[in-house]
Amino acid sequence: MIQELVPGRIAGWDSFEDQPRFTPHPAEAASLRSMAPARRREFANGRYCAHRALHRLGTPAVAIPAGDRGAPQWPDQVVGSITHCPGYTAAVVARRTRISALGIDAEPHLPLPEDVLEFVARPEEHARVRRLLAERPGVQWDRLLFSAKESVYKTWFPVTGRFLGFHEAGIRIDPEAGTFSAQIPASGGTGPGLPEELTGRWRVSGDLVVTAIAVPAPEGGR
C-alpha cells in the first residue's frame, strides 16, 4: 500500500500483522527497555519493516536506533520514515543522493475527536474540513488532515532538528488528485534541502488513511 504513494526510487515495505518472531538489533533493543509492552510491539514491527525496506533498497539492514523525539536514526546516506497504527505498519527508505527527506503516516480511517481537530487545525483548515465532510462524506477529511500534518513533521524534523507545531504547517488537500500541500511560515524555517512548499500524496483504503511526502534531492547533489 505505501509503495503506491511514493516514487519508484524509494523502497517501501508494509505489514498488516505483528512480527513476534522478529528480533531487533542489540542497538535497537536498548531503546525497548523503558517501553511498555504495546510500544515495544510497535517498535519491533516498525524495525521489521524498516529492515525489509533497506534490504529492498540494496543496503545492509543495520541497526536503526531511536534518536531525538524517537526519530529513527538511519544509516549514512539513507533517509527514511516509519509509521504504525493498529493493524498496519510501514517503512520507506531512499538514498540521500536521490531523495533528501521522507515522511509517511498511517491512521485509522475514523473521525477525529472534536477536541483534537480544534487542537490541530487552523481556522481556515477547520472550515475546509467541515465543508469536505459535508460535500464528500466518504472520506474522514479531519483524520486525513491530521495524518498529512504528521507526515509533514516527519519530513521536517530530521532535516531541521526543530519541533514543528500543528498550527505551523498550513495544509491544503486536493480531493480530486489525491494530493496535499503544506506551507510553513518563514519563521519556521524549512531548512536546507526543503522547498518552501512540501507536497504529498494520500490514499484511503478500507479502514486506513495513509499519507506520504518525498522531497527530491537537488540536482547538483546527485
Side-chain angles (χ1 to χ4, degrees):
M1 181 175 176
I2 194 62
Q3 196 72 59
E4 299 173 9
L5 292 184
V6 294
R9 69 193 74 171
I10 296 169
W13 193 277
D14 55 10
S15 174
F16 292 86
E17 57 188 23
D18 290 339
Q19 305 297 327
R21 298 182 181 179
F22 172 71
T23 302
H25 188 282
E28 296 170 344
S31 302
L32 296 172
R33 295 177 188 140
S34 61
M35 295 181 184
R39 180 68 185 95
R40 292 182 184 183
R41 184 171 62 251
E42 291 175 346
F43 184 92
N45 291 342
R47 268 30 183 201
Y48 167 81
C49 288
H51 287 196
R52 298 301 300 169
L54 285 171
H55 178 76
R56 181 171 279 179
L57 187 67
T59 300
V62 298
I64 310 166
D68 291 345
R69 297 185 178 269
Q73 302 300 288
W74 300 99
D76 291 342
Q77 302 308 312
V78 171
V79 296
S81 185
I82 300 172
T83 187
H84 43 71
C85 69
Y88 184 72
T89 308
V92 290
V93 293
R95 300 190 187 282
R96 198 176 294 275
T97 53
R98 307 294 301 277
I99 300 292
S100 62
L102 279 171
I104 62 172
D105 184 71
E107 301 287 335
H109 189 220
L110 297 170
L112 275 182
E114 181 63 29
D115 57 343
V116 175
L117 180 60
E118 294 289 347
F119 178 73
V120 303
R122 294 177 172 188
E124 68 274 16
E125 293 170 335
H126 192 284
R128 285 196 294 267
V129 162
R130 288 300 177 205
R131 185 168 62 252
L132 284 169
L133 286 170
E135 297 174 353
R136 298 170 178 261
V139 173
Q140 301 298 341
W141 300 101
D142 48 352
R143 184 71 68 162
L144 174 54
L145 174 72
F146 178 85
S147 181
K149 294 206 174 198
E150 287 288 301
S151 283
V152 169
Y153 179 79
K154 291 181 178 181
T155 304
W156 191 87
F157 180 75
V159 175
T160 66
R162 297 196 299 277
F163 178 79
L164 184 71
F166 282 111
H167 284 207
E168 292 184 81
I171 304 292
R172 294 194 68 93
I173 298 168
D174 187 327
E176 299 289 349
T179 61
F180 64 92
S181 62
Q183 296 251 345
I184 300 173
S187 58
T190 51
L194 291 181
E196 293 183 2
E197 181 178 85
L198 298 175
T199 59
R201 300 180 65 195
W202 63 269
R203 181 183 177 192
V204 171
S205 179
D207 57 357
L208 291 172
V209 55
V210 182
T211 56
I213 297 172
V215 180
E219 290 291 333
R222 294 186 180 178

